[in-house]
Amino acid sequence: MKTILILFFIINVVLQAKYLDSETCKECHEKIYHEHSTSMHHKSSLFSDEVHRKVKEFSSKDKYSCALCHMPATKNLGAMIRGQEQPNAHEKRQTDGVSCSYCHQITKIHYSKPYNINFLNSSSNDKPTMFGNLKNSESSDKHNVQSNEIYKNSEVCMGCHSHKENSHGFEVCNTKDQYNSKSDCIGCHMPKSTGGNEKFNKKNRSEYATHSFLGIHSDKMIKKAVKLSLEYKDNTIELTIENKMGHSIITHPMRLKFVKTVVLRDGNIIWSNFAENPIEDKEATFIVVFEDAKSNQSMPHTATGYKINQNLKAMNTKIVKYSVPKLQKGDEIKSTWISYIINPNIAKKLDISTKDIIKPYIGTEKSIVVE
Ligand code: HEC
Ligand code: HEC
Ligand code: HEC
Ligand code: HEC
Ligand code: HEC
């Protein structure tokens, strides 16, 4: 009930403030606009993200509770969540996804059990205030500016990225157990680039925070996920996996991430840690599989527990040992990190065929030669 009251409060606040859609920022913040347009934040609504749309259709035909984080700038959030109104492809507030002005009007995060809530600026002014982290920033014709600590300590991310319970009160994703005041989401996901943040660069700034928010959809970022090390001694391969990210390896239940390890002799594979399915080697696989009340494998919306929960926390290390037949001098042991945006089993179930979504993303590789 409390959450519902808060929701109404927020909806009212959104209604009062004038909405500037993301395209209006392009006039001055050209580079940031282009970065943002390619980001999953811009593509977060069911109009632009096929995976999201299909999972949504699977969980509910008419209710769009997901709008809270995937289409947060919409005016009719409450009605959409309750299923009284349907998404509209002609509404900028909806197709904008996690929009510039939505993100930049968050003033405070309200922590609550089912999911956190973003508190927005409540000014009913025609000229909205954009919050950020710049020193000596000045207001423009389009908006005022104000600095706010949460754009520095990454707390602004936690309104949507913290955790989420399904209707059975089961937490289907969680980053919050890993988050603390030292978590630098912004440092890793908004790396600096040279130049000013707006066209005229009136303040002659030398760098700005980029807005592509790269993650699981980026080959470059996948390469930074983990560090792999290998050792071979007494017919045993020892693989060390170190999670280099500021969160668990699995933050979202759709993903599949694993290490493939092979031994090559004269270019031929003579041993591998699994034959067909990475889960054969559970210890080198990172995956979350849910079960429903009857212990059957389930999608997130009907989950009440875990069937498999193979994860590794931020900055933690894990060692996997393999007994192998005696290796010869010159044999190469090679480990490769592989990531799937969507577990191929789920992709099949949801009939997802977009190439970039179902392909394996190849991460870091490590190899040693037996001496
Ligand atoms: C509390 C905020 C919140 C709510 C509510 C929410 N999501 Fe999400 N969703 C996120 C965040 C944050 C991510 C990115 C997580 C990640 O990549 O680890 C995400 C990612 C996803 C993805 C992965 C998309 C991709 O590109 O592969 C799917 C699918 C998804 N959500 C489905 C849903 C559905 C369906 C609902 C409603 C039933 C929903 N979400 C409700 C916050 C939320
Ligand atoms: C008419 C030009 C113009 C437009 C249009 C514009 N801005 Fe700005 N914005 C500026 C200027 C100038 C600054 C100050 C830059 C500086 O200090 O380096 C600024 C600063 C900002 C800041 C930094 C605030 C801080 O204190 O850290 C944010 C955030 C921002 N704008 C968001 C937006 C968003 C979102 C939009 C679109 C809804 C937008 N702006 C549209 C000119 C504009
Ligand atoms: C208003 C809600 C909201 C806020 C605030 C938010 N995000 Fe997101 N974010 C999402 C959603 C929803 C997705 C998933 C979109 C999808 O895949 O459909 C996402 C996806 C991402 C991704 C994954 C990109 C990929 O490749 O899949 C990263 C990284 C990310 N966000 C980082 C951040 C960081 C860092 C912050 C804080 C500066 C932040 N987000 C603030 C809602 C939000
Ligand atoms: C030390 C660097 C680092 C920090 C700190 C960090 N991340 Fe990441 N994050 C990464 C890398 C690298 C990836 C891409 C690899 C992957 O997804 O497996 C990633 C992936 C993600 C994804 C997509 C994951 C998926 O599987 O869908 C989201 C969402 C995300 N980060 C959000 C956050 C948030 C929110 C914070 C702050 C609590 C944060 N990150 C802190 C490095 C970092
Ligand atoms: C997911 C939330 C989110 C979205 C969406 C987002 N921003 Fe930001 N933006 C931030 C955060 C956090 C910072 C502070 C980064 C820092 O200081 O390192 C920031 C910084 C900025 C700055 C100051 C950059 C600098 O370092 O000089 C400007 C200007 C800005 N944003 C404009 C925009 C515009 C325009 C859009 C859309 C095209 C946009 N933002 C979309 C979260 C967001």
Side-chain angles (χ1 to χ4, degrees), residues 19-29 32 99-102 104-105 128 130-148 151 196-205 211:
Y19 179 71
L20 293 178
D21 66 55
S22 297
E23 217 174 336
T24 60
C25 320
K26 184 177 167 188
E27 178 191 342
C28 303
H29 302 291
I32 292 179
S99 72
C100 309
S101 58
Y102 181 86
H104 278 291
Q105 290 192 78
M130 298 298 159
F131 293 85
N133 173 38
L134 286 177
K135 286 202 179 75
N136 310 317
S137 175
E138 272 166 33
S139 298
S140 72
D141 296 348
K142 285 279 161 56
H143 62 77
N144 297 319
V145 293
Q146 198 173 316
S147 103
N148 185 322
Y151 293 78
N197 65 62
E198 48 91 20
K199 215 158 58 181
F200 299 105
N201 196 10
K202 282 190 222 144
K203 295 273 172 181
N204 202 20
R205 298 191 195 272
H211 280 65

Tab-separated table of all heavy atoms in Angstrom, residues 19-29 32 99-102 104-105 128 130-148 151 196-205 211, ligand 2:
chain	number	residue	atom	x	y	z
A	19	TYR	N	8.065	18.199	-19.629
A	19	TYR	CA	8.942	17.120	-20.077
A	19	TYR	C	9.716	17.533	-21.320
A	19	TYR	O	9.128	17.913	-22.336
A	19	TYR	CB	8.129	15.852	-20.386
A	19	TYR	CG	8.995	14.713	-20.873
A	19	TYR	CD1	9.849	14.057	-19.989
A	19	TYR	CD2	8.990	14.318	-22.206
A	19	TYR	CE1	10.675	13.026	-20.427
A	19	TYR	CE2	9.812	13.286	-22.645
A	19	TYR	CZ	10.639	12.648	-21.752
A	19	TYR	OH	11.458	11.631	-22.184
A	20	LEU	N	11.039	17.477	-21.235
A	20	LEU	CA	11.875	17.721	-22.408
A	20	LEU	C	12.334	16.357	-22.912
A	20	LEU	O	13.022	15.635	-22.192
A	20	LEU	CB	13.095	18.563	-22.032
A	20	LEU	CG	12.843	20.009	-21.606
A	20	LEU	CD1	14.151	20.679	-21.228
A	20	LEU	CD2	12.159	20.792	-22.726
A	21	ASP	N	11.924	15.988	-24.123
A	21	ASP	CA	12.313	14.662	-24.597
A	21	ASP	C	13.800	14.640	-24.949
A	21	ASP	O	14.443	15.685	-25.067
A	21	ASP	CB	11.429	14.199	-25.762
A	21	ASP	CG	11.605	15.042	-27.008
A	21	ASP	OD1	12.756	15.169	-27.467
A	21	ASP	OD2	10.600	15.568	-27.522
A	22	SER	N	14.345	13.430	-25.115
A	22	SER	CA	15.793	13.280	-25.269
A	22	SER	C	16.320	14.006	-26.505
A	22	SER	O	17.438	14.503	-26.515
A	22	SER	CB	16.163	11.799	-25.331
A	22	SER	OG	15.820	11.173	-24.105
A	23	GLU	N	15.500	14.080	-27.541
A	23	GLU	CA	15.961	14.718	-28.762
A	23	GLU	C	16.227	16.209	-28.576
A	23	GLU	O	17.064	16.800	-29.261
A	23	GLU	CB	14.947	14.478	-29.883
A	23	GLU	CG	15.648	14.284	-31.198
A	23	GLU	CD	14.697	13.909	-32.317
A	23	GLU	OE1	13.614	13.364	-32.033
A	23	GLU	OE2	15.060	14.169	-33.475
A	24	THR	N	15.514	16.834	-27.641
A	24	THR	CA	15.717	18.275	-27.423
A	24	THR	C	17.105	18.569	-26.838
A	24	THR	O	17.580	19.688	-26.921
A	24	THR	CB	14.652	18.883	-26.475
A	24	THR	OG1	14.740	18.207	-25.221
A	24	THR	CG2	13.253	18.752	-27.031
A	25	CYS	N	17.754	17.589	-26.287
A	25	CYS	CA	19.086	17.795	-25.696
A	25	CYS	C	20.158	17.834	-26.786
A	25	CYS	O	21.254	18.356	-26.580
A	25	CYS	CB	19.433	16.697	-24.705
A	25	CYS	SG	18.098	16.155	-23.634
A	26	LYS	N	19.819	17.258	-27.939
A	26	LYS	CA	20.775	17.101	-29.039
A	26	LYS	C	21.343	18.444	-29.495
A	26	LYS	O	22.528	18.562	-29.821
A	26	LYS	CB	20.034	16.433	-30.199
A	26	LYS	CG	20.868	16.100	-31.405
A	26	LYS	CD	19.968	15.390	-32.405
A	26	LYS	CE	20.585	15.274	-33.767
A	26	LYS	NZ	19.600	14.749	-34.720
A	27	GLU	N	20.500	19.456	-29.512
A	27	GLU	CA	20.874	20.791	-29.963
A	27	GLU	C	22.179	21.255	-29.295
A	27	GLU	O	23.023	21.876	-29.944
A	27	GLU	CB	19.709	21.721	-29.626
A	27	GLU	CG	19.922	23.158	-29.975
A	27	GLU	CD	18.826	24.038	-29.343
A	27	GLU	OE1	17.747	23.507	-28.935
A	27	GLU	OE2	19.039	25.258	-29.253
A	28	CYS	N	22.331	20.967	-28.025
A	28	CYS	CA	23.534	21.427	-27.312
A	28	CYS	C	24.468	20.271	-26.899
A	28	CYS	O	25.668	20.369	-27.035
A	28	CYS	CB	23.141	22.222	-26.079
A	28	CYS	SG	22.098	23.634	-26.486
A	29	HIS	N	23.894	19.183	-26.404
A	29	HIS	CA	24.732	18.065	-25.924
A	29	HIS	C	24.801	16.995	-27.018
A	29	HIS	O	24.323	15.866	-26.841
A	29	HIS	CB	24.137	17.453	-24.652
A	29	HIS	CG	23.973	18.423	-23.527
A	29	HIS	ND1	25.048	18.961	-22.863
A	29	HIS	CD2	22.862	18.944	-22.941
A	29	HIS	CE1	24.606	19.777	-21.909
A	29	HIS	NE2	23.282	19.790	-21.944
A	32	ILE	N	26.821	13.557	-26.326
A	32	ILE	CA	26.123	12.751	-25.308
A	32	ILE	C	24.821	12.196	-25.877
A	32	ILE	O	24.469	11.044	-25.644
A	32	ILE	CB	25.872	13.587	-24.025
A	32	ILE	CG1	27.213	13.880	-23.355
A	32	ILE	CG2	24.922	12.863	-23.071
A	32	ILE	CD1	27.133	14.712	-22.087
A	99	SER	N	15.022	8.053	-20.196
A	99	SER	CA	15.381	9.252	-20.959
A	99	SER	C	16.361	10.137	-20.200
A	99	SER	O	16.532	10.013	-18.988
A	99	SER	CB	14.118	10.043	-21.296
A	99	SER	OG	13.613	10.668	-20.139
A	100	CYS	N	16.957	11.070	-20.955
A	100	CYS	CA	17.915	12.027	-20.374
A	100	CYS	C	17.269	12.780	-19.224
A	100	CYS	O	17.784	12.823	-18.114
A	100	CYS	CB	18.327	13.069	-21.405
A	100	CYS	SG	18.873	12.412	-22.972
A	101	SER	N	16.135	13.396	-19.514
A	101	SER	CA	15.572	14.276	-18.495
A	101	SER	C	15.000	13.465	-17.330
A	101	SER	O	14.979	13.946	-16.207
A	101	SER	CB	14.530	15.219	-19.085
A	101	SER	OG	13.510	14.488	-19.685
A	102	TYR	N	14.576	12.221	-17.577
A	102	TYR	CA	14.121	11.406	-16.439
A	102	TYR	C	15.296	11.157	-15.501
A	102	TYR	O	15.220	11.429	-14.299
A	102	TYR	CB	13.519	10.067	-16.889
A	102	TYR	CG	13.036	9.266	-15.686
A	102	TYR	CD1	11.760	9.469	-15.173
A	102	TYR	CD2	13.873	8.376	-15.023
A	102	TYR	CE1	11.326	8.810	-14.032
A	102	TYR	CE2	13.454	7.707	-13.888
A	102	TYR	CZ	12.186	7.918	-13.402
A	102	TYR	OH	11.769	7.269	-12.261
A	104	HIS	N	18.067	12.680	-15.177
A	104	HIS	CA	18.676	13.881	-14.602
A	104	HIS	C	17.745	14.676	-13.707
A	104	HIS	O	18.109	15.742	-13.231
A	104	HIS	CB	19.264	14.755	-15.711
A	104	HIS	CG	20.619	14.280	-16.129
A	104	HIS	ND1	21.706	14.389	-15.296
A	104	HIS	CD2	21.066	13.653	-17.233
A	104	HIS	CE1	22.772	13.865	-15.889
A	104	HIS	NE2	22.402	13.398	-17.066
A	105	GLN	N	16.531	14.162	-13.485
A	105	GLN	CA	15.663	14.835	-12.513
A	105	GLN	C	15.475	14.007	-11.259
A	105	GLN	O	14.718	14.372	-10.368
A	105	GLN	CB	14.329	15.174	-13.163
A	105	GLN	CG	14.545	16.276	-14.194
A	105	GLN	CD	13.260	16.874	-14.682
A	105	GLN	OE1	12.645	17.695	-14.012
A	105	GLN	NE2	12.844	16.446	-15.843
A	128	PRO	N	12.838	23.187	-16.391
A	128	PRO	CA	13.192	22.150	-15.416
A	128	PRO	C	14.641	22.265	-14.923
A	128	PRO	O	15.462	22.892	-15.587
A	128	PRO	CB	12.995	20.841	-16.183
A	128	PRO	CG	13.024	21.203	-17.616
A	128	PRO	CD	12.675	22.652	-17.748
A	130	MET	N	18.101	20.292	-14.140
A	130	MET	CA	18.835	19.050	-14.384
A	130	MET	C	19.885	18.898	-13.292
A	130	MET	O	20.691	19.807	-13.091
A	130	MET	CB	19.522	19.085	-15.756
A	130	MET	CG	18.575	19.194	-16.929
A	130	MET	SD	17.479	17.783	-17.047
A	130	MET	CE	16.152	18.499	-18.035
A	131	PHE	N	19.871	17.756	-12.639
A	131	PHE	CA	20.844	17.508	-11.580
A	131	PHE	C	22.051	16.791	-12.160
A	131	PHE	O	21.923	16.025	-13.118
A	131	PHE	CB	20.215	16.672	-10.468
A	131	PHE	CG	19.136	17.422	-9.750
A	131	PHE	CD1	17.844	17.444	-10.239
A	131	PHE	CD2	19.433	18.155	-8.609
A	131	PHE	CE1	16.849	18.169	-9.598
A	131	PHE	CE2	18.450	18.889	-7.960
A	131	PHE	CZ	17.151	18.894	-8.462
A	132	GLY	N	23.206	17.049	-11.600
A	132	GLY	CA	24.429	16.412	-12.101
A	132	GLY	C	25.560	16.588	-11.123
A	132	GLY	O	25.330	16.813	-9.922
A	133	ASN	N	26.762	16.496	-11.648
A	133	ASN	CA	27.932	16.456	-10.781
A	133	ASN	C	29.020	17.421	-11.259
A	133	ASN	O	30.174	17.292	-10.912
A	133	ASN	CB	28.426	14.992	-10.779
A	133	ASN	CG	29.737	14.812	-10.066
A	133	ASN	OD1	29.979	15.456	-9.050
A	133	ASN	ND2	30.605	13.955	-10.579
A	134	LEU	N	28.630	18.408	-12.107
A	134	LEU	CA	29.647	19.329	-12.622
A	134	LEU	C	29.972	20.431	-11.613
A	134	LEU	O	29.084	20.898	-10.896
A	134	LEU	CB	29.162	19.986	-13.911
A	134	LEU	CG	29.151	19.138	-15.172
A	134	LEU	CD1	28.571	19.951	-16.328
A	134	LEU	CD2	30.552	18.679	-15.518
A	135	LYS	N	31.237	20.849	-11.607
A	135	LYS	CA	31.630	22.004	-10.790
A	135	LYS	C	31.389	23.264	-11.615
A	135	LYS	O	31.657	23.288	-12.816
A	135	LYS	CB	33.111	21.904	-10.434
A	135	LYS	CG	33.373	20.843	-9.388
A	135	LYS	CD	34.701	21.100	-8.642
A	135	LYS	CE	34.910	20.033	-7.606
A	135	LYS	NZ	35.333	18.749	-8.214
A	136	ASN	N	30.897	24.306	-10.989
A	136	ASN	CA	30.668	25.615	-11.637
A	136	ASN	C	29.864	25.522	-12.928
A	136	ASN	O	30.168	26.191	-13.904
A	136	ASN	CB	31.995	26.309	-11.983
A	136	ASN	CG	32.940	26.335	-10.819
A	136	ASN	OD1	32.506	26.608	-9.715
A	136	ASN	ND2	34.200	26.019	-11.055
A	137	SER	N	28.864	24.673	-12.931
A	137	SER	CA	28.015	24.569	-14.112
A	137	SER	C	27.020	25.731	-14.079
A	137	SER	O	26.677	26.228	-13.015
A	137	SER	CB	27.304	23.231	-14.059
A	137	SER	OG	26.401	23.121	-15.094
A	138	GLU	N	26.583	26.170	-15.269
A	138	GLU	CA	25.625	27.276	-15.321
A	138	GLU	C	24.356	26.851	-16.042
A	138	GLU	O	24.400	26.052	-16.959
A	138	GLU	CB	26.242	28.465	-16.063
A	138	GLU	CG	27.015	29.380	-15.141
A	138	GLU	CD	27.885	30.338	-15.928
A	138	GLU	OE1	27.500	30.740	-17.036
A	138	GLU	OE2	28.974	30.669	-15.408
A	139	SER	N	23.261	27.463	-15.672
A	139	SER	CA	21.989	27.158	-16.311
A	139	SER	C	22.009	27.602	-17.769
A	139	SER	O	22.739	28.508	-18.132
A	139	SER	CB	20.866	27.860	-15.567
A	139	SER	OG	20.821	27.383	-14.247
A	140	SER	N	21.197	26.940	-18.591
A	140	SER	CA	21.116	27.305	-20.004
A	140	SER	C	19.718	27.841	-20.294
A	140	SER	O	18.886	27.937	-19.393
A	140	SER	CB	21.381	26.069	-20.866
A	140	SER	OG	20.275	25.200	-20.789
A	141	ASP	N	19.454	28.185	-21.553
A	141	ASP	CA	18.113	28.647	-21.933
A	141	ASP	C	17.071	27.578	-21.651
A	141	ASP	O	15.921	27.874	-21.374
A	141	ASP	CB	18.062	28.932	-23.450
A	141	ASP	CG	18.979	30.058	-23.837
A	141	ASP	OD1	19.461	30.748	-22.915
A	141	ASP	OD2	19.228	30.232	-25.054
A	142	LYS	N	17.490	26.312	-21.769
A	142	LYS	CA	16.524	25.216	-21.687
A	142	LYS	C	16.306	24.695	-20.271
A	142	LYS	O	15.269	24.135	-19.971
A	142	LYS	CB	16.989	24.036	-22.566
A	142	LYS	CG	16.801	24.276	-24.046
A	142	LYS	CD	15.373	23.996	-24.469
A	142	LYS	CE	14.985	24.627	-25.787
A	142	LYS	NZ	15.811	24.303	-26.924
A	143	HIS	N	17.323	24.819	-19.451
A	143	HIS	CA	17.161	24.219	-18.115
A	143	HIS	C	18.091	24.862	-17.101
A	143	HIS	O	19.110	25.450	-17.451
A	143	HIS	CB	17.435	22.711	-18.172
A	143	HIS	CG	18.831	22.368	-18.601
A	143	HIS	ND1	19.921	22.478	-17.769
A	143	HIS	CD2	19.322	21.930	-19.788
A	143	HIS	CE1	21.015	22.111	-18.420
A	143	HIS	NE2	20.677	21.777	-19.658
A	144	ASN	N	17.709	24.727	-15.845
A	144	ASN	CA	18.592	25.114	-14.745
A	144	ASN	C	19.474	23.919	-14.411
A	144	ASN	O	19.205	22.796	-14.869
A	144	ASN	CB	17.767	25.504	-13.526
A	144	ASN	CG	16.889	26.714	-13.807
A	144	ASN	OD1	17.333	27.655	-14.465
A	144	ASN	ND2	15.652	26.659	-13.349
A	145	VAL	N	20.498	24.138	-13.651
A	145	VAL	CA	21.357	23.021	-13.230
A	145	VAL	C	21.538	23.063	-11.720
A	145	VAL	O	21.458	24.129	-11.107
A	145	VAL	CB	22.760	23.070	-13.886
A	145	VAL	CG1	22.674	22.843	-15.380
A	145	VAL	CG2	23.477	24.357	-13.567
A	146	GLN	N	21.761	21.924	-11.143
A	146	GLN	CA	22.016	21.853	-9.702
A	146	GLN	C	22.837	20.607	-9.434
A	146	GLN	O	22.583	19.566	-10.040
A	146	GLN	CB	20.692	21.777	-8.947
A	146	GLN	CG	20.829	22.127	-7.479
A	146	GLN	CD	19.456	22.203	-6.809
A	146	GLN	OE1	18.509	22.761	-7.346
A	146	GLN	NE2	19.362	21.606	-5.638
A	147	SER	N	23.804	20.745	-8.549
A	147	SER	CA	24.611	19.552	-8.302
A	147	SER	C	23.975	18.711	-7.193
A	147	SER	O	23.252	19.220	-6.334
A	147	SER	CB	26.063	19.959	-8.028
A	147	SER	OG	26.334	19.887	-6.698
A	148	ASN	N	24.175	17.416	-7.276
A	148	ASN	CA	23.561	16.487	-6.330
A	148	ASN	C	24.515	15.304	-6.145
A	148	ASN	O	24.962	14.683	-7.118
A	148	ASN	CB	22.209	16.010	-6.898
A	148	ASN	CG	21.440	15.129	-5.930
A	148	ASN	OD1	22.021	14.307	-5.226
A	148	ASN	ND2	20.130	15.289	-5.904
A	151	TYR	N	24.812	11.811	-8.109
A	151	TYR	CA	25.397	11.681	-9.446
A	151	TYR	C	26.914	11.509	-9.374
A	151	TYR	O	27.593	11.422	-10.388
A	151	TYR	CB	25.048	12.897	-10.314
A	151	TYR	CG	23.566	12.958	-10.612
A	151	TYR	CD1	22.676	13.428	-9.647
A	151	TYR	CD2	23.070	12.502	-11.826
A	151	TYR	CE1	21.308	13.457	-9.890
A	151	TYR	CE2	21.702	12.523	-12.068
A	151	TYR	CZ	20.831	12.999	-11.094
A	151	TYR	OH	19.477	13.011	-11.343
A	196	GLY	N	34.285	18.936	-24.491
A	196	GLY	CA	33.269	19.461	-23.597
A	196	GLY	C	31.987	18.661	-23.685
A	196	GLY	O	31.817	17.846	-24.586
A	197	ASN	N	31.065	18.913	-22.757
A	197	ASN	CA	29.817	18.156	-22.748
A	197	ASN	C	28.744	18.822	-23.598
A	197	ASN	O	27.718	18.239	-23.880
A	197	ASN	CB	29.335	17.957	-21.316
A	197	ASN	CG	28.971	19.273	-20.647
A	197	ASN	OD1	28.069	19.961	-21.093
A	197	ASN	ND2	29.673	19.621	-19.584
A	198	GLU	N	28.985	20.116	-23.990
A	198	GLU	CA	28.000	20.780	-24.866
A	198	GLU	C	28.732	21.501	-25.997
A	198	GLU	O	29.913	21.800	-25.890
A	198	GLU	CB	27.050	21.684	-24.083
A	198	GLU	CG	27.682	22.631	-23.083
A	198	GLU	CD	28.028	23.994	-23.654
A	198	GLU	OE1	27.456	24.356	-24.686
A	198	GLU	OE2	28.890	24.661	-23.082
A	199	LYS	N	27.993	21.753	-27.035
A	199	LYS	CA	28.547	22.216	-28.295
A	199	LYS	C	29.518	23.383	-28.177
A	199	LYS	O	30.589	23.394	-28.778
A	199	LYS	CB	27.384	22.613	-29.200
A	199	LYS	CG	27.629	22.329	-30.640
A	199	LYS	CD	26.361	22.205	-31.468
A	199	LYS	CE	25.457	23.409	-31.436
A	199	LYS	NZ	24.239	23.203	-32.230
A	200	PHE	N	29.147	24.387	-27.391
A	200	PHE	CA	29.988	25.586	-27.343
A	200	PHE	C	31.116	25.464	-26.326
A	200	PHE	O	32.045	26.244	-26.337
A	200	PHE	CB	29.122	26.814	-27.054
A	200	PHE	CG	28.093	27.035	-28.120
A	200	PHE	CD1	26.757	26.735	-27.888
A	200	PHE	CD2	28.462	27.488	-29.377
A	200	PHE	CE1	25.809	26.906	-28.873
A	200	PHE	CE2	27.507	27.664	-30.370
A	200	PHE	CZ	26.176	27.370	-30.132
A	201	ASN	N	31.018	24.470	-25.484
A	201	ASN	CA	32.001	24.247	-24.425
A	201	ASN	C	32.446	25.571	-23.790
A	201	ASN	O	33.634	25.880	-23.726
A	201	ASN	CB	33.208	23.469	-24.984
A	201	ASN	CG	34.057	22.867	-23.859
A	201	ASN	OD1	33.638	22.875	-22.701
A	201	ASN	ND2	35.233	22.377	-24.181
A	202	LYS	N	31.470	26.309	-23.329
A	202	LYS	CA	31.716	27.648	-22.783
A	202	LYS	C	32.686	27.625	-21.618
A	202	LYS	O	33.398	28.576	-21.373
A	202	LYS	CB	30.395	28.274	-22.344
A	202	LYS	CG	29.598	28.810	-23.526
A	202	LYS	CD	28.424	29.636	-23.039
A	202	LYS	CE	27.189	29.317	-23.850
A	202	LYS	NZ	25.947	29.307	-23.168
A	203	LYS	N	32.682	26.521	-20.897
A	203	LYS	CA	33.534	26.434	-19.707
A	203	LYS	C	34.913	25.873	-20.042
A	203	LYS	O	35.722	25.631	-19.151
A	203	LYS	CB	32.869	25.524	-18.662
A	203	LYS	CG	31.572	26.050	-18.122
A	203	LYS	CD	31.835	26.961	-16.957
A	203	LYS	CE	30.545	27.644	-16.547
A	203	LYS	NZ	30.756	28.562	-15.441
A	204	ASN	N	35.141	25.628	-21.325
A	204	ASN	CA	36.420	25.084	-21.768
A	204	ASN	C	36.814	23.833	-20.980
A	204	ASN	O	37.941	23.703	-20.511
A	204	ASN	CB	37.508	26.162	-21.642
A	204	ASN	CG	38.685	25.852	-22.552
A	204	ASN	OD1	38.545	25.080	-23.510
A	204	ASN	ND2	39.835	26.414	-22.252
A	205	ARG	N	35.893	22.911	-20.862
A	205	ARG	CA	36.171	21.680	-20.118
A	205	ARG	C	36.970	20.730	-21.013
A	205	ARG	O	36.792	20.725	-22.234
A	205	ARG	CB	34.872	21.019	-19.674
A	205	ARG	CG	34.067	21.903	-18.729
A	205	ARG	CD	32.929	21.133	-18.110
A	205	ARG	NE	31.952	22.018	-17.489
A	205	ARG	CZ	32.018	22.444	-16.230
A	205	ARG	NH1	33.016	22.056	-15.450
A	205	ARG	NH2	31.087	23.250	-15.732
A	211	HIS	N	28.041	8.509	-22.295
A	211	HIS	CA	26.701	8.010	-21.961
A	211	HIS	C	26.264	6.773	-22.749
A	211	HIS	O	25.073	6.531	-22.916
A	211	HIS	CB	25.680	9.131	-22.173
A	211	HIS	CG	25.619	10.121	-21.056
A	211	HIS	ND1	26.669	10.949	-20.725
A	211	HIS	CD2	24.623	10.418	-20.173
A	211	HIS	CE1	26.321	11.722	-19.704
A	211	HIS	NE2	25.090	11.415	-19.347
B	2	HEC	C1	20.373	25.399	-25.275
B	2	HEC	C2	21.441	24.464	-24.949
B	2	HEC	C3	21.100	23.298	-24.054
B	2	HEC	C4	20.106	22.362	-24.216
B	2	HEC	C5	19.056	22.250	-25.312
B	2	HEC	C6	20.273	21.420	-23.129
B	2	HEC	N1	21.320	21.777	-22.328
B	2	HEC	FE1	22.005	20.830	-20.712
B	2	HEC	N2	23.445	22.198	-20.441
B	2	HEC	C7	23.678	23.273	-21.271
B	2	HEC	C8	24.806	24.039	-20.777
B	2	HEC	C9	25.394	25.288	-21.419
B	2	HEC	C10	25.259	23.377	-19.619
B	2	HEC	C11	26.441	23.766	-18.728
B	2	HEC	C12	27.640	22.987	-19.224
B	2	HEC	C13	28.889	23.166	-18.394
B	2	HEC	O1	28.835	23.758	-17.330
B	2	HEC	O2	29.925	22.652	-18.842
B	2	HEC	C14	24.396	22.237	-19.455
B	2	HEC	C15	24.545	21.316	-18.427
B	2	HEC	C16	23.771	20.169	-18.291
B	2	HEC	C17	23.957	19.192	-17.266
B	2	HEC	C18	25.018	19.174	-16.185
B	2	HEC	C19	24.427	19.664	-14.895
B	2	HEC	C20	25.417	19.639	-13.753
B	2	HEC	O3	25.411	20.591	-12.939
B	2	HEC	O4	26.187	18.684	-13.636
B	2	HEC	C21	23.005	18.231	-17.462
B	2	HEC	C22	22.776	16.996	-16.620
B	2	HEC	C23	22.237	18.619	-18.614
B	2	HEC	N3	22.720	19.814	-19.100
B	2	HEC	C24	21.193	17.882	-19.115
B	2	HEC	C25	20.451	18.270	-20.221
B	2	HEC	C26	19.353	17.496	-20.733
B	2	HEC	C27	18.871	16.191	-20.147
B	2	HEC	C28	18.873	18.164	-21.818
B	2	HEC	C29	17.700	17.767	-22.696
B	2	HEC	C30	16.468	17.508	-21.983
B	2	HEC	C31	19.651	19.360	-21.969
B	2	HEC	N4	20.599	19.390	-20.988
B	2	HEC	C32	19.467	20.303	-22.949
B	2	HEC	C33	22.955	23.595	-22.395
B	2	HEC	C34	21.852	22.918	-22.873
